[in-house]
């Protein structure tokens, strides 16, 4: 069933005041709500619904507004619900006409809505942020014909993985699951397993690696014993085979993997999609998450350095091999053809489309460059502070959303929140500018002193 969308009714209530009667309509968030084309978002995000009978979903403006506010102000779902109840400007932004004292949605509705929309539908929010910037004069469509493309790592909310911690945690999960389903194990290793983990950590910290490896071997033996015990007792119980299939598979992979072997490994039991990515940073040699491509205009727009496109890239691909999919996606998002793409030296040997092959300028080349290209390469570092803001201020630095879909959704929502925060600052500056003009015009002229 399709959602019942909200429309401005203009109705009044004898016992309640309308929000637009008691709030400052010159507030930046109110102006931003008037600038956004909610009808466009209703059409694009409403494509996932059908006309079958059932309970109507929540209005699109409510859910899209919540997603924008969450990423714009770097809030968790719980904090967003609390702030929405006490902030009337948030409620007006989401389409409410009267102040609400109770949440018209559940906290879990945000999770289900994000999963239902997916990366492709959430990209409409990014497109609308760029369209709103053009309508407000903060950016021009021609600003996005030349872009800077770079990759970063969106880290997952996991602890630093070690073989000892992973095996200890895998055994604990299996024992807990067996207890829940009434499987009596020969031994749970709860006490000796914890002691072995503590000893391993102490020996490793003291660089006594022979002793540490001895405790690691004990942890591996305990995990294998629990796996074999559960496997034996699942025989003849087909109803539990499906329940234990994934935990047993992950536990076997954790037990069999070694530190320096090649291939895909398990770095987290609750997020097995996590990848180990090395970006060559001295302070952080390895990051655990997913690689993300970020594109921003080459020249700064009037409203700031907007994000033109962002996309999660699972599988840790080589940077240069991502341009074949990234460039068409950028053009679909911004609606104009790219005339210049600037990248860092990590994109050497790229596989860009044939029509864009000679429009890509990779940093590091010195010979035969004209002044325009040299000037463009000097602007390449403009993407770095944008990535820093995405990570520190808009929830890309630590992703709490589950699965690979959560990685893709979080990257898009971080870019959406960043762009709308720039628009909010732009509206505040415009309001301050006009107020200063009015104050100057209303001030009486200064009379010259007479001797």
């Amino acid at each position: 069933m399709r959602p019942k969308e909200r429309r401005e009714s203009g109705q009044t209530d004898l016992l309640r005041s309308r929000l637009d009667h008691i709030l400052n309509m010159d507030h930046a968030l109110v102006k931003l709500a008037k600038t956004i084309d909610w009808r466009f978002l209703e059409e694009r995000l409403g494509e996932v619904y059908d006309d079958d009978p059932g309970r109507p979903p929540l209005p699109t403006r409510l859910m899209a507004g919540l997603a924008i506010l969450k990423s714009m102000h770097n809030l968790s779902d719980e904090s967003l619900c609390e702030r929405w109840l006490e902030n009337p400007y948030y409620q007006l932004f989401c389409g409410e006409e009267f102040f609400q004292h109770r949440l018209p949605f559940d906290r879990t509705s945000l999770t289900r809505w994000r999963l239902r929309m997916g990366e492709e539908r959430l990209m409409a929010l990014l497109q609308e942020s760029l369209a709103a910037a053009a309508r407000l004069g903060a950016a021009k469509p021609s600003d996005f014909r030349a872009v800077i493309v770079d990759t970063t790592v969106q880290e997952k909310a996991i602890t630093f993985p070690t073989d000892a911690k992973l095996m200890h945690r895998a055994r604990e999960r299996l024992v807990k699951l067996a207890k829940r389903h009434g499987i009596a194990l020969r031994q749970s290793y709860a006490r000796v397993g914890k002691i072995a983990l503590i000893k391993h950590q102490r020996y490793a910290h003291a660089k006594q690696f022979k002793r540490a490896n001895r405790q690691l071997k004990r942890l591996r033996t305990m995990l294998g014993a629990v796996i074999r015990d559960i496997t034996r007792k699942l025989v003849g119980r087909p109803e539990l085979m499906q329940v234990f299939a994934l935990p047993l598979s992950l536990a076997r992979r954790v037990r069999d993997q070694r530190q320096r072997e090649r291939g895909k490994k398990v770095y987290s039991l609750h997020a097995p999609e996590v990848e180990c990515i090395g970006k060559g940073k001295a302070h952080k040699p390895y990051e655990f998450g997913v690689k993300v491509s970020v594109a921003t205009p080459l020249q700064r727009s009037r409203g700031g350095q907007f994000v033109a496109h962002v996309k999660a890239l699972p599988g840790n691909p080589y940077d240069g091999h991502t341009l074949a999919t990234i460039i068409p996606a950028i053009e679909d998002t911004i609606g104009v053809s790219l005339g210049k793409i600037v990248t860092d030296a990590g994109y050497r040997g790229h596989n860009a489309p044939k029509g864009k092959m000679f429009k890509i300028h990779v940093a590091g080349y010195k010979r035969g460059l004209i002044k325009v290209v040299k000037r463009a390469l000097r602007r390449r570092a403009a993407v770095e502070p944008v990535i820093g803001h995405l990570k520190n201020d808009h929830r890309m630095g630590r992703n709490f959303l589950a699965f690979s879909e959560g990685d893709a959704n979080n990257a898009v929502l971080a870019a959406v929140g960043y762009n709308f925060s720039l628009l909010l600052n732009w509206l505040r500056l415009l309001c301050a500018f006009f107020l200063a003009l009015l104050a100057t015009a209303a001030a009486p002229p200064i009379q010259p002193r007479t001797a």
Side-chain angles (χ1 to χ4, degrees):
M1 192 172 182
R2 296 186 179 276
K4 185 178 180 181
E5 304 296 355
R6 293 181 173 175
R7 298 289 180 261
E8 185 69 27
S9 64
Q11 295 180 355
T12 58
D13 194 322
L14 182 63
L15 303 177
R16 295 185 299 173
S17 298
R18 290 176 56 87
L19 288 175
D20 53 4
H21 291 170
I22 60 177
L23 297 182
N24 178 18
M25 301 309 288
D26 290 330
H27 193 274
L29 203 58
V30 177
K31 291 186 175 182
L32 181 61
K34 293 180 179 179
T35 306
I36 296 175
D37 186 0
W38 298 105
R39 297 292 182 94
F40 166 75
L41 295 180
E42 290 170 6
E43 293 176 2
R44 289 293 304 275
L45 301 180
E47 294 175 355
V48 299
Y49 302 109
D50 51 31
D51 296 322
D52 296 338
R55 180 181 178 181
L58 293 168
T60 301
R61 176 168 179 176
L62 172 63
M63 303 309 297
L66 289 170
I68 293 172
L69 292 171
K70 170 185 169 66
S71 53
M72 187 163 53
H73 296 291
N74 193 9
L75 301 173
S76 64
D77 289 348
E78 293 80 3
S79 300
L80 176 65
C81 294
E82 294 173 1
R83 192 172 295 189
W84 192 91
L85 268 183
E86 61 190 25
N87 194 327
Y89 288 101
Y90 279 21
Q91 297 188 14
L92 182 65
F93 183 81
C94 294
E96 298 291 344
E97 295 183 285
F98 300 95
F99 187 79
Q100 302 294 323
H101 297 275
R102 294 183 179 180
L103 287 174
F105 58 92
D106 189 74
R107 200 275 305 168
T108 56
S109 301
L110 300 170
T111 302
R112 290 194 296 270
W113 185 81
R114 285 190 296 261
L115 291 176
R116 176 177 288 181
M117 292 299 121
E119 180 187 15
E120 182 181 356
R121 298 288 184 271
L122 292 177
M123 197 63 72
L125 296 175
L126 183 61
Q127 291 177 326
E128 181 55 29
S129 68
L130 300 177
R135 286 193 291 268
L136 290 172
K140 298 180 292 185
S142 59
D143 294 342
F144 300 96
R145 294 187 181 276
V147 298
I148 308 169
V149 179
D150 197 7
T151 59
T152 186
V153 179
Q154 178 181 249
E155 294 189 81
K156 201 80 167 183
I158 66 170
T159 182
F160 188 86
T162 62
D163 289 340
K165 285 194 292 185
L166 284 172
M167 286 188 286
H168 176 72
R169 184 59 182 154
R171 182 191 54 76
E172 283 186 335
R173 285 164 63 99
L174 287 177
V175 170
K176 186 177 180 180
L177 191 61
K179 184 178 180 181
R180 185 187 307 164
H181 290 87
I183 297 178
L185 300 178
R186 294 177 57 190
Q187 189 172 351
S188 65
Y189 301 99
R191 184 180 62 84
V192 293
K194 184 177 180 179
I195 294 174
L197 175 65
I198 294 173
K199 286 184 177 180
H200 173 272
Q201 292 172 337
R202 289 175 177 175
Y203 290 147
H205 179 72
K207 294 184 172 54
Q208 299 176 8
F209 295 114
K210 286 187 178 180
R211 291 178 173 178
N213 290 334
R214 195 176 302 123
Q215 299 302 322
L216 183 65
K217 186 177 180 181
R218 288 190 64 196
L219 288 169
R220 183 172 284 113
T221 302
M222 296 175 196
L223 176 58
V226 172
I227 291 175
R228 290 189 297 272
D229 193 8
I230 292 177
T231 304
R232 284 192 302 267
K233 293 178 180 178
L234 286 180
V235 176
R237 303 183 67 177
E239 70 278 3
L240 295 180
M241 296 292 289
Q242 189 67 25
V243 177
F244 282 86
L246 181 59
L248 283 175
S249 174
L250 291 176
R252 290 190 182 100
R253 289 174 60 185
V254 167
R255 183 196 59 184
D256 296 337
Q257 67 187 14
R258 296 296 186 269
Q259 183 178 6
R260 303 192 184 279
E261 69 179 9
R262 299 181 65 88
K264 187 172 176 58
K265 299 180 183 178
V266 177
Y267 297 102
S268 174
L269 293 169
H270 74 272
E273 70 275 3
V274 169
E275 301 159 357
C276 179
I277 302 171
K279 298 288 284 184
K281 302 176 183 177
H283 66 285
K284 190 181 290 186
Y286 300 103
E287 295 173 285
F288 300 92
V290 65
K291 184 175 286 190
V292 175
S293 172
V294 179
T296 186
L298 181 63
Q299 300 298 331
R300 185 183 184 275
S301 304
R302 294 180 64 190
Q305 196 79 20
F306 290 93
V307 173
H309 182 263
V310 66
K311 184 177 179 59
L313 304 168
N316 191 14
Y318 171 62
D319 288 357
H321 294 166
T322 63
L323 292 181
T325 56
I326 291 299
I327 292 178
I330 295 174
E331 293 179 340
D332 291 341
T333 302
I334 63 179
V336 296
S337 178
L338 293 177
K340 186 182 298 181
I341 301 102
V342 179
T343 66
D344 60 7
Y347 284 80
R348 290 183 178 180
H350 56 76
N351 62 343
K354 291 184 178 179
K356 307 292 181 182
M357 188 68 68
F358 297 101
K359 297 181 180 180
I360 298 174
H361 305 288
V362 181
Y365 293 105
K366 302 293 184 183
R367 304 174 65 179
L369 298 180
I370 60 177
K371 291 184 178 179
V372 177
V373 176
K374 289 182 180 179
R375 191 159 53 245
L377 290 175
R378 285 197 295 269
R379 281 283 304 169
R380 191 216 64 82
V383 71
E384 303 297 342
V386 174
I387 294 175
H389 283 296
L390 288 174
K391 288 190 171 185
N392 296 326
D393 303 330
H394 302 285
R395 304 187 70 79
M396 189 186 281
R398 192 167 178 84
N399 176 27
F400 293 89
L401 304 185
F403 313 121
S404 299
E405 294 83 359
D407 295 335
N409 295 345
N410 191 72
V412 175
L413 289 175
V416 170
Y418 171 77
N419 284 352
F420 278 112
S421 66
L422 290 183
L423 291 180
L424 209 60
N425 294 335
W426 174 254
L427 289 170
R428 290 193 186 105
L429 290 175
L430 282 182
C431 183
F433 175 73
F434 287 127
L435 288 176
L437 284 181
L438 291 175
T440 305
I446 300 176
Q447 300 292 337
R449 287 187 177 183
T450 58

